[in-house]
Amino acid sequence: MFSVFSKSRRALINGFAALSLTAAAACQPFATAGIGGGGPKIDTSKPVQVALLVPGGSGRASDEALAASLENAARLAISELDGVKIDMRVYNTAGNAAQASNAAATAVNDGAKIILGPVFSEAAAAAGATVAASGVNLLSFSNNTAVAGGNVFVLGPTFRNTAERLVRFAKGKGKSKILIVHANNVAGIAGQTAIAQAIVKHQAVNVGSTPYNFSQDGVVGAVPSVRAAAQSTGADAVMFTSDSAGALPLFAQLLPEAGLSPSSIQYMGLTRWDIPAQTLTLPGLQGGWFAMPDTDMEARFDARYTAAYGDKPHPIAGLAFDGIAAIGALVASGNANALTASALTQNSGFQGTKGIFRLRPDGTNERGLAVAQVRDNQVVIIDSAPRNFAGAGL
């Protein structure tokens, strides 16, 4: 893990944190439309059976806590549905693919019409493949788009979504020549790919990518290359895939020291720079841009969860609420095809506690995000999150 939160350079702490994006999202729908195709028919006059796959049963305290929080959030969503009956049954996966596959098969045999979960991408892929022939769709809590497609949807926030939001905003502000800085690991390469695709989509200019080994020495060694690439290509923006627990603080210190300051080139980040809040005090990130959800809406969900259970939800627990509320909204339409792929991917999407979201036909998702700037050690929203998909440009 990197740690550079002072003027002096600190030693690298043992271990490194992978890039992560977490989100909680509770939802209420917009109008349903275009329902039909790609899933089992349901009887909306009766309780609709939903399977919730959680990582319980592994014996790991972290998995058990996450499983409990996901179930609590799902049950909170059920309690808030109006006129819709959900018969939710919970299945433990122990956090592994084999048990997730067995749990999914059991759930469908028990009568499940849709599956919510599991968390981990390998488990989601295995579970989805197992029940694909049945036509049952699966809404995973993963954010790994590699497992999305067919009957598997991912609810977690994705690199692609964030990259598209920032690149589109940057292009509109005249920052169109973008240099990508990424770690030479799975998460870093995934982030680099997402940014490169967003640059193509929004007709900006990809001036190049500078990789680095995921270590303190790797970052230190990459600084001259980043500076040289930015200067030789005329880049007017540099986008980092790293997060606050990784290389970001070190780059924020070393690049300005090397002459590539945020006053001469726009810094942008693929991850949340406000977590932890201490990151906002880094001089090298002042003026930088990153994307974030509507935190006011997130706070409302957290308050309801805490009032119901006496504790704060796990950071991704809201995805379970999100899934149940979306299912309930679609079932409320009274259409027998309410849980088909066509229904799940309606263009109008859903309203979540972290903002609007919708599922794409390719199994990925889009979420409405705000663009924030670090200014005087604080977060300042410089472009608000859209409240609906009409004209949102997502």
Side-chain angles (χ1 to χ4, degrees):
M1 185 181 300
F2 295 89
S3 183
V4 185
F5 285 110
S6 67
K7 293 182 180 179
S8 61
R9 189 179 309 161
R10 299 180 184 175
L12 182 65
I13 298 174
N14 291 334
F16 303 106
L19 288 173
S20 62
L21 290 172
T22 57
C27 69
Q28 294 178 350
F30 293 111
T32 60
I35 294 175
K41 292 185 180 297
I42 60 173
D43 183 349
T44 59
S45 68
K46 298 179 180 179
V48 175
Q49 194 167 318
V50 176
L52 176 66
L53 272 57
V54 297
S58 71
R60 293 183 290 270
S62 58
D63 286 348
E64 300 302 329
L66 174 54
S69 195
L70 288 166
E71 181 176 350
N72 286 344
R75 295 199 183 283
L76 179 63
I78 291 172
S79 73
E80 296 183 2
L81 296 178
D82 185 13
V84 173
K85 299 296 183 182
I86 298 292
D87 174 12
M88 188 181 76
R89 305 183 188 185
V90 183
Y91 301 81
N92 286 327
T93 69
N96 70 66
Q99 192 160 330
S101 175
N102 291 334
T106 300
V108 171
N109 287 336
D110 289 344
K113 300 301 183 183
I114 193 166
I115 296 174
L116 189 57
V119 175
F120 306 113
S121 57
E122 297 87 351
T130 297
V131 302
S134 70
V136 170
N137 290 307
L138 182 146
L139 309 184
S140 167
F141 303 133
S142 173
N143 66 353
N144 186 349
T145 57
V147 303
N151 66 324
V152 177
F153 296 85
V154 295
L155 288 173
T158 67
F159 286 150
R160 182 170 81 173
N161 196 178
T162 302
E164 289 186 2
R165 178 66 167 107
L166 286 171
V167 170
R168 184 176 68 252
F169 177 79
K171 177 77 180 301
K173 295 298 182 180
K175 305 295 183 179
S176 60
K177 297 179 180 179
I178 301 172
L179 174 67
I180 306 169
V181 178
H182 69 92
N184 246 336
N185 58 18
V186 173
I189 293 170
Q192 185 273 338
T193 301
I195 298 169
Q197 291 174 343
I199 289 172
V200 171
K201 179 176 179 178
H202 296 289
Q203 300 180 328
V205 179
N206 185 345
V207 301
S209 299
T210 302
Y212 59 90
N213 292 327
F214 192 56
S215 66
Q216 179 164 293
D217 288 343
V219 173
V220 173
V223 167
S225 298
V226 174
R227 180 190 59 200
Q231 293 175 344
S232 65
T233 60
D236 49 30
V238 57
M239 194 162 182
F240 303 97
T241 64
S242 55
D243 61 6
S244 300
L248 180 65
L250 199 52
F251 275 125
Q253 177 180 326
L254 298 181
L255 285 175
E257 290 177 358
L260 194 66
S261 74
S263 62
S264 61
I265 190 170
Q266 181 64 54
Y267 284 12
M268 299 192 292
L270 196 58
T271 61
R272 292 277 297 270
W273 287 1
D274 60 325
I275 301 174
Q278 194 177 7
T279 308
L280 299 172
T281 66
L282 294 172
L285 295 186
Q286 302 306 307
W289 297 339
F290 65 97
M292 64 188 301
D294 188 326
T295 53
D296 289 340
M297 297 179 74
E298 179 184 17
R300 295 174 194 171
F301 166 71
D302 288 350
R304 299 201 309 278
Y305 183 101
T306 301
Y309 301 109
D311 197 8
K312 290 184 178 180
H314 186 281
I316 71 166
L319 296 178
F321 192 113
D322 207 358
I324 287 290
I327 291 167
L330 292 170
V331 171
S333 69
N335 195 304
N337 291 319
L339 298 183
T340 62
S342 295
L344 291 168
T345 57
Q346 58 176 347
N347 286 334
S348 53
F350 305 93
Q351 186 71 262
T353 58
K354 279 196 170 184
I356 56 171
F357 74 96
R358 61 185 173 189
L359 297 172
R360 288 172 159 175
D362 65 0
T364 63
N365 68 72
E366 294 175 282
R367 291 183 176 275
L369 300 172
V371 176
Q373 184 176 50
V374 182
R375 191 183 300 168
D376 297 327
N377 303 333
Q378 296 182 343
V379 174
V380 177
I381 301 299
I382 56 176
D383 196 34
S384 299
R387 291 302 176 91
N388 61 66
F389 284 105
L394 297 176

